[in-house]
């Protein structure tokens, strides 16, 4: 299926800076389901253009539009700024998506790594403002996401798997502490737990698809396993797919079967 894109669409202005999204959708005029996508990068780097060809446009070719969202990184603002931006993006899509031929009654959230954390937290946590759960996405897919910020480092060290190539030979920053504005995740364990999707599993009201590589050397697949277990125990609708031999941000995630599973999940979940 052919695709078309609308780039650099402002969805929020904060502190004098426009935050933008790119819309990738199937070509043609029919209304299509839509998901907001949040990129990875440890909340410190990355771009909404990352992996556009093999990931975002590929999903659009399966019939699901993708609005790839820029959000504030931690050099600008720490948690919960990323969730505030995510909610603003979902709100913009619900209000303006019809102008781009997007179905807006039900909108999904999708993310990879740190972006998967954003997608999950948008679905599970209201951040204490009393409005988040009412504005949450209607279906969530998270690829290789951290779900318990208090155990990411210990599980990585315990598994002793090979790091992904893009980080080999470099010191691994304490990404979870950076998100929270801490020097060490142990400095405020209550905050870390509150910022962990697994803590909010009882709030699940929407279907969740978790996809993780079983050889992930950066964010252990134990993270997705833990959330899947917590969601299931809480009576939530959770599915877990483990990719054999896949590391973090592995090219295996761009295989047709994985993209088809992701697209099929959203097509089914957003059609009701």
């Amino acid at each position: 299926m052919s695709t078309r894109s609308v780039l650099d669409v402002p969805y929020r202005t904060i502190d004098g800076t426009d935050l933008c999204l790119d819309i990738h959708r199937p070509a043609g005029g029919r209304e299509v389901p839509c998901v907001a996508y949040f990129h990875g990068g440890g909340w410190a780097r990355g771009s909404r253009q990352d992996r556009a060809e093999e990931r975002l446009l590929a999903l659009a070719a399966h019939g699901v539009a993708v609005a790839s969202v820029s959000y504030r990184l931690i050099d600008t603002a720490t948690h919960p700024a990323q969730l505030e931006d995510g909610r603003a993006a979902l709100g913009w899509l619900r209000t303006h998506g019809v102008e781009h031929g997007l179905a807006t009654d039900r909108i999904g959230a999708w993310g990879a790594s740190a972006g998967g954390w954003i997608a999950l937290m948008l679905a599970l946590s209201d951040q204490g403002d009393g409005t988040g759960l009412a504005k949450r996405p209607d279906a969530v897919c998270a690829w290789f996401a951290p779900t318990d910020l208090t155990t990411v480092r210990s599980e990585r060290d315990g598994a002793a798997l090979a790091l992904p190539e893009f980080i080999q030979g470099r010191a691994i920053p304490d990404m979870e502490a950076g998100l929270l504005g801490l020097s060490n995740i142990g400095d405020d364990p209550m905050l870390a737990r509150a910022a962990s999707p697994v803590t909010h599993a009882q709030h699940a009201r929407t279907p969740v698809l978790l996809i993780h590589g079983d050889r992930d050397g950066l964010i252990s697949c134990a993270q997705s396993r833990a959330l899947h277990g917590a969601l299931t125990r809480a009576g939530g609708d959770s599915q877990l797919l483990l990719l054999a031999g896949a590391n973090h941000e592995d090219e295996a995630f761009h295989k047709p079967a994985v993209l088809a599973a992701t697209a099929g999940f959203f097509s089914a979940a957003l059609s009701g």
Side-chain angles (χ1 to χ4, degrees), residues 9-261:
V9 181
Y11 74 88
R12 185 184 196 195
T13 301
I14 187 164
D15 297 330
T17 299
D18 285 341
L19 295 176
C20 296
L21 53 80
D22 296 337
I23 298 173
H24 309 287
R25 58 153 296 152
R30 69 181 181 89
E31 190 174 86
V32 294
C34 173
V35 302
Y37 174 80
F38 302 94
H39 65 79
W43 306 282
R45 60 190 61 83
S47 162
R48 69 179 185 275
Q49 290 92 14
D50 291 350
R51 307 280 190 162
E53 188 70 31
E54 68 267 40
R55 183 174 300 177
L56 311 181
L57 288 165
L59 200 80
H62 279 83
V64 178
V66 179
S68 187
V69 177
S70 287
Y71 55 88
R72 284 173 289 171
L73 302 177
I74 57 177
D75 62 344
T76 299
T78 55
H79 170 72
Q82 295 72 27
L83 303 183
E84 294 167 357
D85 296 341
R87 289 194 184 92
L90 290 174
W92 186 94
L93 287 168
R94 293 191 191 280
T95 302
H96 299 283
V98 66
E99 301 164 15
H100 299 275
L102 309 179
T104 57
D105 286 345
R106 299 174 64 83
I107 294 178
W110 174 34
S113 196
W117 173 90
I118 293 174
L120 289 167
M121 287 294 284
L122 289 175
L124 298 175
S125 173
D126 69 359
Q127 290 305 297
D129 63 7
T131 63
L133 293 179
K135 297 180 179 178
R136 63 190 165 191
D138 299 289
V140 176
C141 178
W143 286 7
F144 42 89
T147 70
D148 185 344
L149 303 189
T150 69
T151 62
V152 172
R153 180 173 289 275
S154 63
E155 288 177 351
R156 176 169 60 240
D157 294 344
L161 296 172
L163 292 170
E165 289 186 7
F166 68 84
I167 203 169
Q168 288 182 4
R170 296 166 45 197
I172 303 174
D174 195 337
M175 297 174 288
E176 297 74 39
L179 169 68
L180 303 179
L182 305 173
S183 59
N184 186 293
I185 201 70
D187 291 343
D188 194 339
M190 290 184 63
L191 176 61
R193 284 193 292 271
S196 296
V198 71
T199 302
H200 305 281
Q202 72 275 15
H203 295 306
R205 299 293 184 275
T206 57
V208 175
L209 173 62
L210 304 167
I211 307 182
H212 217 122
D214 71 355
R215 303 296 292 175
D216 193 320
L218 187 62
I219 305 293
S220 170
C221 67
Q223 293 282 307
S224 285
R225 288 181 182 273
L227 180 58
H228 174 64
L231 290 169
T232 301
R233 289 190 296 274
D237 180 353
S238 177
Q239 302 174 62
L240 172 63
L241 300 181
L242 294 179
L243 304 189
N247 204 332
H248 200 77
E249 281 287 8
D250 201 291
E251 288 304 316
F253 287 87
H254 301 134
K255 289 185 176 180
V258 179
L259 290 165

